[in-house]
C-alpha cells in the first residue's frame, strides 16, 4: 500500500432514486469519478488493489439522507474544496457532496466515530395520517422488534437496546438510533414498524443528522 499523506472527509447526500443505490455500487461510482479526475487515491497492496475509500455505516436501501460520510485516503495532498467542486461536476443526479475537510490520518474510523443517527419519519398519504400512526410512540421503550432468522426462532430485540430516543412532532416523528459497536443494530424500518404497527412503505424515511464522538 502506498503511504497516505492526506485523509479527506466528505459529507454527501443521497436523494431521489439514489436512495436505492447500494453500498458497493456507491463505492464504484466514487472510484470511477475519482479516476476520471486523476485524484491521487491510496490503493491497498495485493493481487487486487482496492482504493482506500472508507464509508460510514451503510444506509438502508430506500432511505434518503443529507448526512452520509466517506473518507478518501490520498497519496498526494489536494485542496478539499476544489476536490469537492470537481467531483460534484461529474457525479450523477441525486448524489451530491456537501462538505469536504482534511482530518488526521490516524483519527478513528467513521464506523467507530458515529454514535447516533437521527431519522425523520413522515407518513406518505392522508389515510396513514388519519390513522394517527404515532399515537403509541410514547411507549416506545417498552416495545420490541421480532427479527426472524433463516431456520431459527424469532429473536426479540428491545427497542431500548438500540434506540436513544423517539420524539413526535406535527406530522412526523424522529428516532435516534444508536450506531456504536457496543449496541444492537436495528434498521429504521424495523423501529417504525414496531412503533406504528404499519408496514414501512407507508412512510418516507430520511436520515437528517448524526452525532459523532
Amino acid at each position: 500500500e502506498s503511504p497516505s499523506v492526506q485523509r479527506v472527509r466528505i459529507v454527501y447526500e443521497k436523494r431521489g432514486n439514489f436512495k436505492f443505490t447500494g453500498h458497493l455500487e456507491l463505492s464504484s461510482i466514487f472510484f470511477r469519478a475519482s479516476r476520471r479526475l486523476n485524484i491521487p487515491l491510496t490503493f491497498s497492496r495485493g493481487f487486487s488493489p482496492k482504493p482506500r475509500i472508507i464509508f460510514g455505516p451503510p444506509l438502508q436501501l430506500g432511505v434518503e439522507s443529507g448526512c452520509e460520510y466517506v473518507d478518501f485516503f490520498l497519496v498526494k495532498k489536494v485542496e478539499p474544496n476544489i476536490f469537492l467542486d470537481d467531483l460534484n461536476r461529474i457525479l450523477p443526479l441525486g448524489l451530491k457532496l456537501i462538505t469536504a475537510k482534511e482530518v488526521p490520518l490516524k483519527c478513528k474510523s467513521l464506523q467507530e466515530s458515529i454514535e447516533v443517527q437521527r431519522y425523520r419519519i413522515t407518513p406518505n398519504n392522508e389515510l396513514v395520517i388519519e390513522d394517527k400512526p404515532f399515537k403509541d410512540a410514547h411507549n416506545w421503550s417498552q416495545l420490541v422488534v421480532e427479527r426472524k432468522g433463516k431456520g431459527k426462532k424469532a429473536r426479540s430485540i428491545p427497542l431500548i437496546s438500540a434506540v436513544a430516543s423517539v420524539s413526535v412532532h406535527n406530522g412526523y416523528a424522529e428516532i435516534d438510533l444508536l450506531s456504536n459497536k457496543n449496541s444492537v443494530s436495528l434498521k429504521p424500518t424495523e423501529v417504525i414498524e414496531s412503533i406504528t404497527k404499519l408496514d414501512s412503505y407507508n412512510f418516507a424515511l430520511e436520515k437528517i443528522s448524526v452525532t459523532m464522538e
Side-chain angles (χ1 to χ4, degrees):
E1 181 179 301
S2 302
S4 297
V5 300
Q6 188 180 33
R7 180 176 180 178
V8 177
R9 178 159 293 172
I10 297 285
V11 180
Y12 66 97
E13 64 178 24
K14 290 174 68 177
R15 304 290 185 189
N17 288 334
F18 244 93
K19 66 185 180 182
F20 300 109
T21 302
H23 211 60
L24 290 177
E25 185 179 353
L26 192 62
S27 181
S28 178
I29 289 169
F30 275 129
F31 171 58
R32 291 197 302 270
S34 300
R35 188 169 56 182
R36 280 183 60 186
L37 294 169
N38 293 316
I39 290 171
L41 295 172
T42 301
F43 281 82
S44 62
R45 291 178 178 175
F47 293 107
S48 182
K50 299 289 193 300
R52 290 206 67 196
I53 302 174
I54 312 298
F55 291 85
L59 184 68
Q60 185 178 1
L61 288 181
V63 178
E64 289 195 342
S65 175
C67 52
E68 294 303 288
Y69 283 76
V70 59
D71 284 350
F72 286 76
F73 288 80
L74 309 175
V75 295
K76 293 181 182 178
K77 288 209 169 194
V78 300
E79 170 54 48
N81 287 331
I82 295 175
F83 176 83
L84 180 147
D85 290 341
D86 287 347
L87 274 175
N88 271 335
R89 277 194 284 271
I90 64 172
L91 287 174
L93 185 66
L95 187 62
K96 181 181 178 182
L97 311 187
I98 306 300
T99 64
K101 67 176 182 179
E102 184 173 356
V103 297
L105 282 170
K106 299 297 185 181
C107 70
K108 284 187 176 182
S109 71
L110 289 167
Q111 296 277 0
E112 294 175 305
S113 299
I114 293 176
E115 295 185 329
V116 178
Q117 302 181 85
R118 175 167 292 180
Y119 293 85
R120 179 168 293 166
I121 317 296
T122 308
N124 57 20
N125 63 69
E126 291 297 325
L127 290 177
V128 176
I129 294 172
E130 290 175 6
D131 195 42
K132 298 181 179 179
F134 307 124
K135 59 182 179 294
D136 296 325
H138 61 284
N139 290 323
W140 70 268
S141 61
Q142 309 300 317
L143 301 174
V144 299
V145 166
E146 297 291 342
R147 183 178 284 174
K148 296 178 180 179
K150 293 181 180 180
K152 299 179 181 179
K153 292 182 179 179
R155 177 189 176 196
S156 295
I157 304 173
L159 260 61
I160 201 168
S161 67
V163 179
S165 69
V166 176
S167 58
V168 178
H169 306 269
N170 186 21
Y172 64 93
E174 291 181 354
I175 58 175
D176 286 349
L177 291 187
L178 298 172
S179 187
N180 60 56
K181 60 185 178 181
N182 297 318
S183 65
V184 177
S185 176
L186 287 178
K187 297 176 181 178
T189 51
E190 291 178 313
V191 176
I192 201 61
E193 288 178 355
S194 177
I195 291 172
T196 66
K197 307 299 186 289
L198 296 171
D199 196 289
S200 61
Y201 69 74
N202 290 291
F203 302 91
L205 283 72
E206 179 187 3
K207 187 161 80 171
I208 59 173
S209 68
V210 301
T211 302
M212 301 186 75
E213 191 177 77

